[in-house]
Amino acid sequence: PPPFTGVWMGDSKLCAIGVHCGNHITSHGLALNCCTDLTWFDHIVPCGLEGKGVTSLSHELGQHVAVSHVLEPFLDSFQEVFDCTLVSSEDPG
């Protein structure tokens, strides 16, 4: 829900995305919860957002969703949306 970043299912964050700039360095990241053990989030305030929760694809769909099952379609969609080509560090050249 605005103004919060990420992908939300109601009041629970499914995917976090962020950018950090400091000391002339820009860092960015993305975390999509596929089959995450959500009990770890009981011990923290995720993303510093009081009253908001965290969820996963497995929890929302009621079945196990492995990262390996989501990775290829996710990367394909990322390339399409951002009109880019992703290169793996394992790719030669």
Side-chain angles (χ1 to χ4, degrees), residues 14-72:
L14 175 66
C15 179
I17 188 166
V19 176
H20 175 265
C21 301
N23 298 323
H24 307 288
I25 297 173
T26 303
S27 308
H28 54 278
L30 182 139
L32 175 61
N33 295 328
C34 294
C35 52
T36 307
D37 178 359
L38 299 175
T39 61
W40 290 102
F41 292 102
D42 293 341
H43 307 286
I44 64 170
V45 178
C47 302
L49 300 173
E50 291 281 348
K52 303 296 181 191
V54 177
T55 191
S56 69
L57 289 172
S58 294
H59 177 79
E60 295 298 325
L61 296 174
Q63 64 184 27
H64 181 76
V65 178
V67 172
S68 60
H69 184 77
V70 172
L71 188 57
E72 187 174 337

